[in-house]
Amino acid sequence: SHTVTDGNATNPEVLAVASMDFTLPYFWKMLTDQYSDCRSDGDYYCFVIDSAGYVIIHKSFVDPETSIRDGVEGRHVAEMEPGVARLMIANNLLERGQCNNY
């Protein structure tokens, strides 16, 4: 989402809120169209996480052969890609903490 304001720096008034919604397959297509290396099963493996480490898009969310059957919400990088999570923790990009139970 993005908030549109009147431009007043000290006390902005919200004029509108813009957002968009699209399906996971379309998001995966946008990612792989933009980053062609994500399409192959070669040297790269692509996924998107948010600032808390929750996976937004992952190949297993859209690939019929590996698709997750019990939902994609609340999946953390530590669950989906534990090796990446360990590297992120080691490089201070992710903090170890208690997981939420969805």
Side-chain angles (χ1 to χ4, degrees), residues 17-38:
V17 176
S19 68
M20 72 177 356
D21 190 18
F22 39 85
T23 65
L24 288 174
Y26 185 73
F27 189 15
W28 184 255
K29 181 183 177 337
M30 288 183 355
L31 178 68
T32 57
D33 284 352
Q34 186 68 33
Y35 301 101
S36 60
D37 289 331
C38 295

Side-chain angles (χ1 to χ4, degrees), residues 42-57:
D43 295 334
Y44 298 96
Y45 191 80
C46 302
F47 56 95
V48 176
I49 61 173
D50 67 11
S51 61
Y54 287 94
V55 179
I56 304 301
I57 189 71

Side-chain angles (χ1 to χ4, degrees), residues 62-73:
V62 296
D63 186 346
E65 293 181 18
T66 61
S67 184
I68 295 175
R69 304 283 183 233
D70 57 346
V72 298
E73 292 182 16

